[in-house]
Amino acid sequence: MKLISRVHMECRERYFMIAVDLSFTGKEPRFEAVDRTGVYAITEQYAAKCGYTVSALSLLGHVELRASYFSCHTDNKDDMFSFNFNLIATHKGKEASYALNKTCTLSLQWSHREVTCEMNYMEVSVRSDVTCPFGTNGHNRNASKAVRSATTSDWQVTFQRPEEQMPSMNVAQARKRGYTFDSRDGRLLFRTPYGQPDSLSTEVENVPVEAVYATVFSRQNWVVLMVDLLAACSMYEGYFDDAGYMMWKTPEALYPSVGGTQIRIGLNGDPMEQLIAEKKGYIVEKHKGTVHIGIPYNAEGGHRKSFVIGSLYEFYVFDLSVEQISLDRDYVETMLQFRRTLVTPLLPCTIFTHNQTVLKEQMFTIYLGDVPEDVVLVSIQLNEQDFTLPFANTSTYNIAEVLYPNGTHGYTLKVPFHDLVVKQKFFIEDAVLQFMLDINYTLAVLPGNESYYHSASIVALLTDVSPPAFDAVCSESGIRFKLDHQPFDYLWEFTIGLDVLTSDLANRRGYILSNDSQSLRLDVPLATHGYKYQDVTLKGFSGTFEILVRVRETSEVQTSTVKTCLFNPPEFIMCSTDGMMTVVANLPLVVSSGGRTLRMSLMDNSCGPKDMNGTRALFSFPVNSCGFIFELGKDYVTYQNEIFYNKNYQNMVSNDVTERVIVQCTYPLSSLRQLFTMYRFVSDTVGVGKIIRTVQPTAGLQHPSRKPTAGLQSTPAIARHTQPIAFVPGVRPSTRYFRVSRVHNLAGG
């Protein structure tokens, strides 16, 4: 496996750092220190003794090793520090060793006294030319030379506790007790793990502090050399406040200082001057001898991790670096460094949904916000229907990711109201339409893909959802209805009587239906099914057509559009459900040249016109009366009669041509309740009427009781046909020489 991309090594101001990806090392990586004397396993105890700190942050996915520049196996030559380690990783149950080497060149000017408060140890180093301030200056100079020339085997160590005199011991004995004393690179070094028997746990300004007071001394000829090595560190663990800051504090006066201390703070070993840190949102305050430090939760360099324990939580990890610089009365500078890993408690993660729906857009718009950067949306459930992301290109749904500078992101979901996945409920009485969308989001926490579920129920209410209304206008040929489409037309259905208006129905009945994205138009020609006629006279009649608007789910009638128009066609015929045939016929050939009208009747000469005006005559009679004849076909029955004029007036009529005027009403057999009766006629539907003219070369028309003129058949001859001669849908007239004039067949309803 490639190591370079999985390991990061960095030389920082006062320590060396290695970070390795846990996905490469396995769950329990180990480090070994290597020098010319051998290989040393860095165990927990050995790390604290020799200046190493190993932190395995499994939730952040990496392990970190920090090594002091004065650690046991670090080679220093002319401020070039060489580090050599072995990384022991486990792959599929097998261990593998990787060599990690780095040389750091420092230009850092060490302070007279350097104190490091690491996570697992305290370390103090002082320049070897700094001794106890006793005697004259000449004595001090001699003491300095003696310190530099002394070896650690010449030193004795004593630990001090309040009101308790501890016996001295040599350095070798102190090392056996876990302490490190060394003289290297011109500095005296003291290192101790926390919790040693000789340490003191106390409070300074209400801050817990651990301190170890050690004095090393050596007799060189007539001079006693003494060096105080005080290690004191704040043990405050910190807390996360309601304002979003990780708070930590330390006493200001752990070491003597004249005129206060200078503070530098930062994360990951990169401290900043106080003013710069404050501009970046840090808090640095001194109060009653205590330095208070606040790290903003979103500070650059901090680590954040989402975590699922039933609900979604988050926590923050900060590798805090604090430098506290003080100067005592002898102008001896002390650099006190704190390295602390501060972890917030588990904090509830506040993912939320916001209903951004705009009703006029006719769609749900739902925003899922404050999604952490390590959490992604993987699937979604809409009203119990599952959808993986991204949606298919053909989907009517849309989801868009929204990114923010603070690292969080969100998702905007759009679902049209009228999509099949949306639940709807129509409250008819209140004219309110309710849309309901239950959303279940499935999110995954990276990199482990832990699932977290977030749900929301969204309701949109549209008020004043009233039934649509048609506009209707009259024309000479019928009535035109027009409806501009509204978003909720799908709630309704339109019927002619009980029959739903469809393209098929329009084709069968002769309506002209057009429907596009803007409007629906219905042209209802005169004489098509559905009309109701009234006030029939020679001057015309009124025709009424009604479109019912019903609730689609229940078929309950909500409203209707009724249009009545006045019509005055030259001639027309009506065949009603009660068997009445009403005819207005235009008879120009039966009018004398002088304008005198002949006497007219039906096949029964007692059945004359109800009214006459010029060439037009109005007849109204039962189809099964006035000398009718009928033709019985397979599916239809045709009732027929004929208009005649009196023979006594033939001398007033043109002798060149005569005209037979035949009137018919055809009914489906399936609609008739009574047939072959003279007393009652009942039909479920109106009949189809025809006015048929036959032009014949004879002197005139005569009653069928008379002997016909040569070459002219009597009307009863029609009964010999096996199919009706009137037009019936699907049946072609069988008499070739009939001429059908333009006539209105008024099929009322």
Side-chain angles (χ1 to χ4, degrees), residues 195-215:
Q196 287 288 87
D198 303 308
S199 66
L200 173 66
S201 295
T202 184
E203 283 193 357
V204 179
E205 303 296 347
N206 294 320
V207 178
V209 171
E210 182 170 333
V212 177
Y213 293 84
T215 300

Side-chain angles (χ1 to χ4, degrees), residues 54-331:
V54 179
S55 301
L57 302 175
S58 57
L59 292 177
L60 296 179
H62 70 264
V63 61
E64 184 176 286
L65 168 67
R66 292 194 296 268
S68 166
Y69 285 116
F70 302 109
S71 55
C72 292
H73 305 286
T74 302
D75 183 27
N76 177 22
K77 185 177 182 181
D78 299 328
D79 287 332
M80 295 180 66
F81 296 84
S82 298
F83 296 91
N84 298 280
F85 296 96
N86 289 332
L87 168 64
I88 311 301
T90 303
H91 303 299
K92 298 180 180 180
K94 296 182 179 180
E95 289 189 348
S97 178
Y98 301 91
L100 304 175
N101 307 304
K102 184 76 173 179
T103 298
C104 299
T105 302
L106 298 184
S107 58
L108 176 70
Q109 183 66 41
W110 297 99
S111 297
H112 288 275
R113 180 187 290 114
E114 295 270 343
V115 181
T116 299
C117 297
E118 253 293 359
M119 294 290 296
N120 56 334
Y121 65 86
M122 297 182 287
E123 181 182 271
V124 181
S125 71
V126 298
R127 280 203 339 227
S128 56
D129 58 355
V130 178
T131 60
C132 300
F134 64 88
T136 64
N137 291 337
H139 290 154
N140 287 338
R141 286 193 295 271
N142 292 333
S144 298
K145 293 178 182 178
V147 168
R148 288 193 295 270
S149 62
T151 63
T152 55
S153 61
D154 300 326
W155 293 94
Q156 295 288 310
V157 180
T158 183
F159 293 96
Q160 302 175 35
R161 294 175 62 88
E163 301 178 359
E164 185 176 355
Q165 182 66 43
M166 306 291 290
S168 62
M169 65 187 76
N170 60 35
V171 170
Q173 292 173 317
R175 285 175 176 168
K176 291 180 180 179
R177 298 179 62 173
Y179 299 104
T180 296
F181 290 92
D182 201 358
S183 175
R184 56 188 298 185
D185 306 323
R187 302 185 72 86
L188 291 177
L189 176 70
F190 168 51
R191 185 183 302 114
T192 174
Y194 291 110
Q196 287 288 87
D198 303 308
S199 66
L200 173 66
S201 295
T202 184
E203 283 193 357
V204 179
E205 303 296 347
N206 294 320
V207 178
V209 171
E210 182 170 333
V212 177
Y213 293 84
T215 300
V216 294
F217 60 93
S218 176
R219 183 184 300 275
Q220 300 289 324
N221 296 326
W222 296 101
V223 177
V224 177
L225 306 176
M226 300 182 65
V227 180
D228 287 332
L229 298 173
L230 168 63
C233 294
S234 168
M235 303 303 291
Y236 191 71
E237 294 183 355
Y239 69 95
F240 192 73
D241 70 5
D242 294 336
Y245 284 85
M246 189 70 203
M247 302 300 298
W248 186 81
K249 59 185 178 180
T250 182
E252 186 177 11
L254 283 176
Y255 289 86
S257 176
V258 177
T261 60
Q262 300 178 25
I263 302 294
R264 299 175 71 217
I265 62 173
L267 300 179
N268 304 319
D270 187 18
M272 301 171 284
E273 298 296 334
Q274 180 175 338
L275 290 177
I276 296 175
E278 289 174 340
K279 288 181 180 180
K280 292 188 175 184
Y282 288 81
I283 295 174
V284 182
E285 295 176 345
K286 297 178 182 179
H287 182 66
K288 293 183 180 181
T290 303
V291 179
H292 295 262
I293 293 172
I295 308 169
Y297 76 94
N298 57 351
E300 183 179 355
H303 304 283
R304 186 206 157 278
K305 185 73 177 70
S306 299
F307 199 75
V308 178
I309 307 179
S311 296
L312 183 64
Y313 295 91
E314 61 183 0
F315 66 92
Y316 295 84
V317 179
F318 305 97
D319 288 330
L320 175 65
S321 298
V322 178
E323 293 181 354
Q324 190 174 3
I325 304 172
S326 59
L327 197 66
D328 65 14
R329 290 176 300 176
D330 296 312
Y331 302 102

Side-chain angles (χ1 to χ4, degrees), residues 631-638 667-670 722-724 728 731:
E631 180 77 18
L632 184 61
K634 181 179 180 181
D635 299 313
Y636 296 87
V637 60
T638 298
Y667 293 89
L669 284 174
S670 60
T722 58
Q723 295 293 335
V728 179
V731 180

Side-chain angles (χ1 to χ4, degrees), residues 382-396:
L382 304 176
N383 284 339
E384 300 183 350
Q385 294 189 35
D386 295 319
F387 301 91
T388 56
L389 298 178
F391 290 124
N393 294 332
T394 57
S395 174
T396 58

